[in-house]
Every structure is written in structure tokens, then in C-alpha cells.
């Protein structure tokens, strides 16, 4: 399970794939030339006529499409949480349901953080903590201090017949009294959690967002289910926790060198497309599959794509998902990157013990890089597995490096207490390596071969242990 900075009552669920949740910052790429529409302009075979910029129109689609299903947990916030004052004032919360659960899902988490900070609802420390974790310096031209009704409210509880009833503020008026109850489908014996999902179960809910100029209204498809814990036959807790997420993606087409391609985009956990999203590209009529320099979940913002014989980078997507911009890479003499199949970015840094680490000096060895933080619960839980890996493979041509988005003093204290033996680099004020690798969630693990090429990314136990057994057979 990965950690992303989020409200405490919503945490990600992982199935077969890592969660894509998430909200983190890369620098916007400024387009210096007039965009050429890849959808409207046929491309000739001459390289001189291959556009440097592709701006592709996208259409919102229902469900997850070619992407893995991604869900989050919604439950009542702890009254002692520092976020408690940030919860919007929602009217019509029912008082006749047993075990009442109330929570909100934020359509644009970055805008939410921005507006509640300037409204005095969270501390400066908490605001700065979010900025530091996301490497985020919010621009007032992209966010507004005015209140945006970007929260979708949920309430759930049991009635006198012991049925779980769910209310969702579908019309975004911050009042649940005019919304109809929703009943989650019955649990079937032996049914797997991810098998319960169906596009037919989705319903629309409205929200507001800020596009940099105006407050606009939009709708998203919502999926609601029991949490995996509530589906357990012998669960101990009686508290209500729901699986909740928006279920939508965007799809378009474009032509390049007389070939037609399909493109799909999904936003990381929120309806508003900010800084964390992924795309998949396929020739028209073929399935979306992983391609060169991309993983099976799709290419991240800033990532490299091979389209035919050409290389493009995913530059940006519009906040409403209606357009995607790709920039041609005309200088692919160096294939360093953060994607599987590319050579890993080189870096030089000092460990918390003052020793210099040069990534280029590790050629000839397998390298495991763990991006993590002491504040990250899943990262701390993974330390036990990493200790096992270190003990097993440290004398088998494997080097391990920890790169922590953390305060150096906190990191030193934790490393000493846990007796962590591999080198640790703190990315406190200087976050150059995090920016270089575009790390957006934690933990993020890279496996790199002796030639410096990335062979695996985002692996977690047990997949990580299995991959290492393949590399180092007994």
C-alpha cells in the first residue's frame, strides 16, 4: 500500500496494482510554438512534417476503461485530527441511523488545501507539510482563496431493519436532506472484492472546480461499496467504512505518419486533473498495452513515449481532461529517465553519514533504490521486508540506497533505532533527486540492472521478493 498526502479518513486500497492516488507537482512545460492539432492535421511520412507538439482532444468516458480499478476508503474522521476543522458544513446529515458514518471526498485536493489554509482552517505547519511532501509551490493564477464546493459528502448507517443506507450529496448543494438513499448490492458468497465492481453501479455526483479563471461546475461518476474489511465474514470492527472513488477516464484519437492512434488518460484518484495522471497509447483497433519506456499502468506526466518511430513526452493535460499535450523529443541522445527500459537518472549526493554516493559508480551491480519517508506508515511497514532483502542479497551483487523525503534529524533517529544498514540520503530542503525521478507516492522502489537500466518499478512485497529470486536464483 502506498501513502499519499490525503485526509486521514481516506486511505488507498491496493488490489493487483499499486494505487494511483494521488496529487503532486512537476513544473509546467511552457509551449513556445503554436500547437498543431494531431487530430485535425494528417501527417506525411517526411520527418520535416512530423509535428513537435500534439494537442489531442479527449472525451470523458464512464468507468476505468483500460486502467486498473483504483479505490479509496472513506470513514468518519477522528475528532482529534488536525483536519477536523476543514470539513465543510453539510446540512441534512441523518440522525436516525445506527453507527452513522460521515465523510467527504474532495474532487480537487490541491485546491481544497489551498482554500482551507487561507480560510484559517488548517495550520501553517500542516500547509507547509503538504507543500514540502508534494514539492508544491501553489501559483495564485491556478488556485483561488474563495470557497469552491469541491467536496462530495457521504453519510451511511443502518436503519431499523439493519439495512445499510447511504446518502450522497449528488447535486453539490451541501445538503443531504434532498438526496435519495442508495443501497449497496448484497454480498455474494465467495465474491472477490474487485469482482463486485460494475460500470452499471455508477451514479453521477456534481462538484465545483476552479480552472484558473472561473469557478465551474462538473459531474463525475461515483462508485460506492463496502470496504474490504466490511466484506470479511468474521470482521471484528462494527464501524462503517466505505469504498469510494470516481470512476472515469478520458479517451481520444490522433494521426501520426498516416497511422491512427487511440489515447486514454486517467487522473490519479480525483476528478480534477492536476499534476498526477497517466496515459496509454495504442494503434487504433489494437488493445492498450504497455509499450517501450512505459509500465503497464501507463506513462506518467513528463514520461517518454514511443509512437511509431518517434519519441514524445507527456507534457500536460488540461484541468478538465479535455486536452492532452505531447511534446516531441528531438534530443534523445541520452536515454536517461525514470521509466522501465530507460537508463536510470544519474545523481551524486551525500548520505546522512557524510559519505558521497555516485550512482554512476554502481555500474556492474544491481541497485535497489527505495524512495520513502519516516512519516509514511507503509514505508515503515516495508522496512522489515527491506531488511530481509539486505541481509539476503548484500553479498550477491545488490546495492541498496534509501532516499527519504524527510528531515535529516528525524531520518538519523529512525535509522539508528531500526538499525538500518544500507546508505540513506535525506531530501530535506534539497529535493533534486525526488524531482529528477518524479516521485509522487511513497514508498516507490526501483530495481536497476548492472548496465544502469531500470528493470522494475513500484514493486512491493511479495512481487519484489519474487523479482529478486528471479535475478538471484539459489
Amino acid at each position: 500500500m502506498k501513502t499519499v498526502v490525503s485526509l486521514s479518513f481516506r486511505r488507498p486500497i491496493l488490489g493487483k496494482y499499486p494505487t494511483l492516488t494521488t496529487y503532486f507537482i512537476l513544473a509546467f512545460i511552457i509551449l513556445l510554438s503554436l500547437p498543431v492539432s494531431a487530430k485535425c492535421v494528417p501527417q506525411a511520412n517526411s520527418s520535416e512534417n512530423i509535428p513537435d507538439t500534439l494537442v489531442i482532444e479527449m472525451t470523458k468516458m464512464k468507468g476505468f476503461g483500460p486502467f486498473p480499478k483504483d479505490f479509496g476508503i472513506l470513514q468518519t474522521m477522528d475528532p482529534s485530527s488536525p483536519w477536523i476543522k476543514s470539513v465543510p458544513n453539510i446540512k441534512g446529515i441523518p440522525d436516525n441511523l445506527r453507527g452513522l458514518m460521515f465523510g467527504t471526498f474532495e474532487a480537487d485536493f490541491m485546491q481544497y488545501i489551498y482554500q482551507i489554509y487561507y480560510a484559517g482552517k488548517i495550520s501553517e505547519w500542516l500547509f507547509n507539510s503538504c507543500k514540502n511532501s508534494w514539492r508544491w509551490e501553489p501559483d495564485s493564477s491556478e488556485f483561488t482563496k474563495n470557497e469552491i464546493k469541491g467536496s462530495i459528502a457521504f453519510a451511511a448507517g443502518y436503519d431499523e431493519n439493519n439495512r445499510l443506507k447511504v446518502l450522497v450529496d449528488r447535486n453539490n448543494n451541501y445538503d443531504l436532506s434532498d438526496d435519495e438513499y442508495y443501497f449497496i448490492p448484497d454480498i455474494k458468497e465467495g465474491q472477490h472484492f474487485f469482482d463486485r465492481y460494475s460500470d452499471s453501479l455508477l451514479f453521477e455526483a456534481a462538484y465545483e472546480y476552479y480552472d484558473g479563471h472561473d469557478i465551474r461546475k462538473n459531474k463525475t461518476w461515483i462508485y460506492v461499496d463496502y470496504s474490504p474489511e466490511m466484506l470479511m465474514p468474521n470482521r471484528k470492527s462494527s464501524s462503517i467504512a466505505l469504498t469510494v472513488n470516481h470512476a472515469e477516464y478520458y479517451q481520444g484519437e490522433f494521426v501520426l505518419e498516416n497511422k491512427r492512434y487511440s489515447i486514454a488518460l486517467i487522473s490519479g484518484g480525483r476528478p480534477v486533473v492536476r499534476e498526477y495522471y497517466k496515459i496509454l497509447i495504442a494503434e487504433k483497433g489494437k488493445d492498450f498495452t504497455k509499450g517501450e519506456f512505459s509500465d503497464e499502468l501507463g506513462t506518467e506526466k513528463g514520461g517518454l513515449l514511443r509512437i511509431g518511430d518517434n519519441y514524445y513526452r507527456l507534457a500536460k493535460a488540461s484541468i478538465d481532461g479535455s486536452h492532452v499535450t505531447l511534446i516531441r523529443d528531438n534530443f534523445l541522445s541520452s536515454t536517461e529517465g525514470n521509466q522501465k527500459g530507460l537508463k536510470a537518472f544519474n545523481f551524486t549526493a551525500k548520505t546522512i553519514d557524510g559519505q558521497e554516493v555516485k550512482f554512476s559508480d554502481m555500474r556492474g551491480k544491481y541497485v535497489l533504490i527505495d524512495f520513502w519517508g519516516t512519516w509514511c506508515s507503509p514505508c515503515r511497514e516495508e522496512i522489515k521486508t527491506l531488511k530481509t532483502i539486505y541481509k539476503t542479497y548484500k553479498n550477491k551483487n545488490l546495492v541498496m540506497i534509501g532516499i527519504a523525503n524527510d528531515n535529516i534529524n528525524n531520518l538519523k533517529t529512525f535509522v539508528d533505532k531500526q538499525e538500518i544498514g544500507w546508505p540513506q540520503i535525506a531530501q530535506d530542503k534539497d529535493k533534486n533527486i525526488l524531482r529528477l525521478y518524479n516521485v509522487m507516492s511513497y514508498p516507490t522502489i526501483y530495481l536497476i540492472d548492472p548496465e544502469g537500466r531500470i528493470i522494475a518499478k513500484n514493486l512491493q512485497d511479495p512481487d519484489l521478493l519474487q523479482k529478486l529470486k528471479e535475478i538471484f536464483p539459489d
Side-chain angles (χ1 to χ4, degrees):
M1 184 177 290
K2 286 182 177 292
T3 285
V4 296
V5 178
S6 183
L7 291 189
S8 59
F9 52 81
R10 183 177 185 272
R11 60 185 189 276
I13 305 173
L14 291 179
K16 181 178 178 183
Y17 301 99
T19 237
L20 301 177
T21 55
T22 109
Y23 310 99
F24 307 87
I25 300 299
L26 280 175
F28 272 99
I29 299 176
I30 300 173
L31 306 181
L32 300 180
S33 59
L34 182 65
V36 178
S37 172
K39 188 171 183 179
C40 301
V41 180
Q43 304 302 329
N45 289 324
S46 170
S47 62
E48 294 181 358
N49 293 322
I50 297 173
D52 287 334
T53 302
L54 304 178
V55 181
I56 305 163
E57 294 180 20
M58 308 289 282
T59 301
K60 185 161 69 173
M61 310 293 289
K62 186 177 183 180
F64 292 98
F67 297 95
K69 300 178 183 70
D70 180 22
F71 305 114
I73 293 293
L74 190 69
Q75 60 191 20
T76 300
M77 187 185 293
D78 188 323
S80 64
S81 169
W83 297 96
I84 196 69
K85 292 181 180 179
S86 71
V87 178
N89 181 27
I90 305 295
K91 299 178 182 179
I93 300 174
D95 58 6
N96 60 344
L97 297 178
R98 178 171 53 85
L100 180 68
M101 185 285 299
F102 171 76
T104 58
F105 172 85
E106 279 60 52
D108 183 353
F109 197 66
M110 284 181 160
Q111 169 59 43
Y112 184 71
I113 295 298
Y114 191 84
Q115 71 187 44
I116 62 176
Y117 169 69
Y118 284 104
K121 295 181 179 180
I122 60 170
S123 67
E124 184 173 3
W125 178 87
L126 196 54
F127 184 54
N128 287 335
S129 177
C130 291
K131 292 198 297 181
N132 289 336
S133 296
W134 301 338
R135 310 187 309 276
W136 177 41
E137 287 300 331
D139 190 328
S140 59
S141 66
E142 300 170 30
F143 301 92
T144 178
K145 298 177 184 178
N146 297 326
E147 182 184 7
I148 306 295
K149 287 186 176 180
S151 298
I152 302 173
F154 291 76
Y158 296 99
D159 64 12
E160 65 278 5
N161 297 316
N162 207 37
R163 295 179 304 172
L164 182 65
K165 303 172 73 173
V166 180
L167 276 177
V168 182
D169 183 23
R170 302 191 193 194
N171 58 6
N172 193 231
N173 66 349
Y174 279 25
D175 188 345
L176 290 170
S177 64
D178 57 358
D179 292 288
E180 295 183 2
Y181 281 105
Y182 175 80
F183 293 93
I184 297 173
D186 292 336
I187 302 170
K188 297 180 181 179
E189 186 176 354
Q191 189 177 43
H192 187 273
F193 171 77
F194 283 90
D195 293 335
R196 289 177 54 80
Y197 172 85
S198 169
D199 287 354
S200 65
L201 298 176
L202 304 180
F203 56 85
E204 284 189 311
Y207 64 90
E208 292 182 348
Y209 73 100
Y210 183 67
D211 67 357
H213 302 282
D214 301 296
I215 298 173
R216 299 190 179 276
K217 295 184 180 295
N218 207 341
K219 289 184 178 182
T220 184
W221 281 291
I222 293 290
Y223 177 69
V224 180
D225 197 359
Y226 300 104
S227 67
E229 183 183 5
M230 291 187 70
L231 290 170
M232 294 174 61
N234 299 315
R235 71 186 186 98
K236 297 179 180 179
S237 175
S238 60
S239 62
I240 297 172
L242 300 178
T243 293
V244 173
N245 209 349
H246 76 115
E248 64 187 31
Y249 67 104
Y250 299 85
Q251 189 161 318
E253 294 183 6
F254 66 96
V255 175
L256 186 66
E257 292 190 298
N258 296 325
K259 284 187 179 180
R260 186 169 293 274
Y261 294 88
S262 297
I263 179 171
L265 175 147
I266 196 164
S267 179
R270 310 283 173 170
V272 175
V273 182
R274 280 290 181 189
E275 291 299 313
Y276 188 47
Y277 47 84
K278 294 198 174 191
I279 66 168
L280 293 168
I281 289 181
E283 284 190 46
K284 180 67 175 174
K286 295 184 179 180
D287 292 336
F288 288 101
T289 56
K290 62 181 181 179
E292 189 175 8
F293 309 138
S294 66
D295 62 29
E296 57 195 329
L297 299 179
T299 298
E300 299 173 350
K301 180 182 177 182
L304 188 67
L305 300 131
R306 182 170 183 172
I307 308 174
D309 294 325
N310 303 285
Y311 296 90
Y312 283 85
R313 292 193 183 274
L314 174 54
K316 67 177 181 179
S318 58
I319 195 168
D320 62 354
S322 63
H323 292 83
V324 169
T325 301
L326 307 179
I327 304 293
R328 190 181 180 200
D329 193 318
N330 295 313
F331 306 98
L332 203 65
S333 57
S334 170
T335 55
E336 287 187 351
N338 67 345
Q339 295 166 266
K340 183 178 176 181
L342 293 178
K343 289 185 178 179
F345 285 116
N346 193 22
F347 61 85
T348 301
K350 286 191 176 182
T351 68
I352 57 176
D353 298 323
Q355 301 298 313
E356 186 175 80
V357 171
K358 264 188 169 181
F359 179 70
S360 58
D361 290 345
M362 298 175 194
R363 290 288 191 273
K365 297 181 180 292
Y366 287 92
V367 182
L368 185 155
I369 302 179
D370 174 37
F371 290 96
W372 70 296
T374 62
W375 46 268
C376 162
S377 177
C379 300
R380 296 194 303 269
E381 292 172 4
E382 198 164 45
I383 291 297
K384 183 178 179 180
T385 299
L386 293 177
K387 281 186 174 182
T388 300
I389 291 171
Y390 183 67
K391 182 179 179 180
T392 305
Y393 298 108
K394 66 179 180 179
N395 296 321
K396 294 185 179 181
N397 208 38
L398 177 71
V399 176
M400 292 174 58
I401 306 170
I403 300 178
N405 183 1
D406 220 322
N407 174 277
I408 189 169
N409 293 324
N410 292 342
L411 182 59
K412 282 183 176 180
T413 300
F414 185 88
V415 166
D416 290 342
K417 184 177 180 179
Q418 295 295 322
E419 298 181 342
I420 296 174
W422 55 96
Q424 298 292 326
I425 297 169
Q427 292 279 273
D428 190 354
K429 295 179 181 178
D430 179 359
K431 300 184 186 294
N432 287 340
I433 303 176
L434 298 178
R435 293 189 183 96
L436 193 63
Y437 279 82
N438 188 27
V439 179
M440 296 183 173
S441 59
Y442 299 85
T444 291
I445 287 180
Y446 283 82
L447 274 178
I448 298 157
D449 71 11
E451 295 180 356
R453 196 171 298 278
I454 298 168
I455 55 176
K457 177 181 175 182
N458 288 326
L459 289 180
Q460 293 178 294
D461 187 22
D463 294 333
L464 176 58
L465 294 175
Q466 180 59 39
K467 184 66 176 179
L468 288 169
K469 285 181 181 179
E470 293 172 6
I471 294 173
F472 303 105
D474 292 333

